[in-house]
Amino acid sequence: GFFTAENGQSVCFRCAFGFYQDESARSACHACPPTFTTINLGSTSSEECVCPAGTYFDLSTNSCLACPRGFECFGGANDVDNTT
């Protein structure tokens, strides 16, 4: 979940939202797939890439889509709750 701005630098930074780092001593973080984000800073695995609030995971497109009208999508899961 951390990276250094330059190789050999002793100061580490947390990966930003939407990024993760699963290895040590790296100079950059990996980006989550398009439409995905992370819930926390400093994520350490691609498994932490989730759909943001207001979206849901669509199996047919393998991406996060806008929550349908009349439903509530909390993000982070495949669930869509009907609010009507």
Side-chain angles (χ1 to χ4, degrees):
F2 292 85
F3 72 100
T4 60
E6 296 179 24
N7 285 331
Q9 188 178 35
S10 62
V11 178
C12 294
F13 303 94
R14 287 181 193 254
C15 295
F17 291 108
F19 293 84
Y20 67 94
Q21 183 50 265
D22 53 0
E23 300 175 81
S24 60
R26 298 297 175 186
S27 60
C29 296
H30 303 288
C32 290
T35 71
F36 288 79
T37 191
T38 54
I39 294 173
N40 299 304
L41 296 170
S43 293
T44 59
S45 170
S46 62
E47 292 179 11
E48 294 181 65
C49 295
V50 296
C51 293
T55 67
Y56 72 97
F57 182 73
D58 180 66
L59 290 171
S60 66
T61 63
N62 285 324
S63 64
C64 304
L65 300 179
C67 194
R69 184 179 205 131
F71 291 82
E72 194 165 348
C73 302
F74 299 102
N78 297 343
D79 297 335
V80 179
D81 294 326
N82 189 344
T83 60
T84 56

